[in-house]
Amino acid sequence: MSTEDKLSLKEQGALVIDAGLCAIPVVGGSLSALYFGAKQEKRFKRLERFYNELKDKLQEPSAIDFDKIDRSALASIIEEINEAVELDFTESKLDYLHNCFINSLSEGAEQEHEKKKYFISQLMKMSELDISLLTGLYKADSGECYKYLKSDEPDASDFNAALERLKSGGLVNSSLHGALTPGISWGEITAFTLSDFGRDFVVFCLEQRSQ
């Protein structure tokens, strides 16, 4: 069997589920049809809505010279977007996925496509707080940063955890910004700033380029 003929893990999983449902006596076949029918219908509806709303944002067809771009790279970015749409999305993330699609159509956007695909996967994992912190740093004046909130401040644990998530994803940098004294944690004297990687994420996912 050639590489092209091999089933993906997703396809293998679907076959296992289908076989399991069909094995249920009497009603198995009906359950399988119901499960996969509803599942595909939801995914189709999400994609349909995504593209219906996207076309309203595209003022005019983007002038892409397909002879000068890496088509397979562009296709892999769009496939990542489609998979994200199919899985699920919040209202705000639908807009961000529109941004990703539109920004993918600009000249040279298919370059570094693996990074762009990573950005999309990270976007789908982010909370509204994560996104708010990134956009805040992106719009901040040079030298501004975030620091840990003290444990007795409202929502401190959520805020501090969000900073650490963004740091682990490479989207923000951290550096020592103060003296370590008794009673002060490392987080309170650590400055979190937007990394170049994080800036690229904001530009690709959160900012829509003009048509």
Side-chain angles (χ1 to χ4, degrees):
M1 181 181 289
S2 67
T3 302
E4 291 77 7
D5 293 331
K6 291 181 180 178
L7 293 175
S8 68
L9 289 176
K10 185 188 299 183
E11 291 169 331
Q12 291 178 41
L15 287 176
V16 170
I17 294 171
D18 191 22
L21 288 173
C22 288
I24 299 174
V26 183
V27 297
S30 298
L31 284 175
S32 176
L34 180 64
Y35 172 79
F36 284 99
K39 181 179 179 183
Q40 294 306 319
E41 182 178 359
K42 286 180 180 178
R43 292 188 170 192
F44 176 78
K45 289 294 184 183
R46 291 188 191 118
L47 283 171
E48 183 179 45
R49 177 185 172 187
F50 176 79
Y51 283 103
N52 280 337
E53 294 185 12
L54 175 65
K55 70 181 181 182
D56 295 332
K57 295 183 178 181
L58 289 168
Q59 310 294 322
E60 57 188 37
S62 298
I64 303 177
D65 187 346
F66 284 99
D67 292 329
K68 294 182 179 180
I69 68 169
D70 185 336
R71 296 190 190 192
S72 62
L74 178 59
S76 71
I77 296 174
I78 293 175
E79 182 179 12
E80 189 75 24
I81 294 171
N82 286 342
E83 288 184 0
V85 172
E86 287 183 54
L87 287 174
D88 208 354
F89 53 79
T90 60
E91 292 301 314
S92 60
K93 286 186 179 176
L94 182 63
D95 286 332
Y96 296 142
L97 288 169
H98 283 155
N99 292 343
C100 293
F101 192 100
I102 293 170
N103 292 336
S104 295
L105 301 181
S106 62
E107 184 177 354
E110 84 284 0
Q111 297 174 13
E112 298 185 297
H113 64 283
E114 290 298 334
K115 182 171 79 170
K116 306 291 174 57
K117 289 169 64 177
Y118 173 78
F119 285 164
I120 296 164
S121 67
Q122 287 297 106
L123 171 66
M124 299 310 292
K125 299 175 186 176
M126 286 184 177
S127 67
E128 290 297 324
L129 178 56
D130 296 338
I131 293 171
S132 176
L133 292 178
L134 277 180
T135 54
L137 286 173
Y138 181 74
K139 295 175 181 178
D141 294 332
S142 177
E144 292 189 17
C145 64
Y146 284 123
K147 289 187 178 182
Y148 264 29
L149 295 179
K150 294 183 179 180
S151 58
D152 57 351
E153 293 185 66
D155 302 318
S157 58
D158 291 340
F159 183 91
N160 299 342
L163 289 176
E164 291 297 338
R165 282 196 300 273
L166 296 174
K167 177 185 173 182
S168 67
L171 302 173
V172 301
N173 294 325
S174 64
S175 59
L176 197 61
H177 195 265
L180 187 61
T181 59
I184 293 182
S185 68
W186 281 102
E188 291 179 59
I189 58 171
T190 298
F192 292 87
T193 56
L194 191 65
S195 66
D196 291 339
F197 194 67
R199 188 171 299 278
D200 289 345
F201 171 89
V202 173
V203 170
F204 182 68
C205 295
L206 308 184
E207 297 283 313
Q208 182 180 324
R209 299 175 190 173
S210 58
Q211 294 294 295

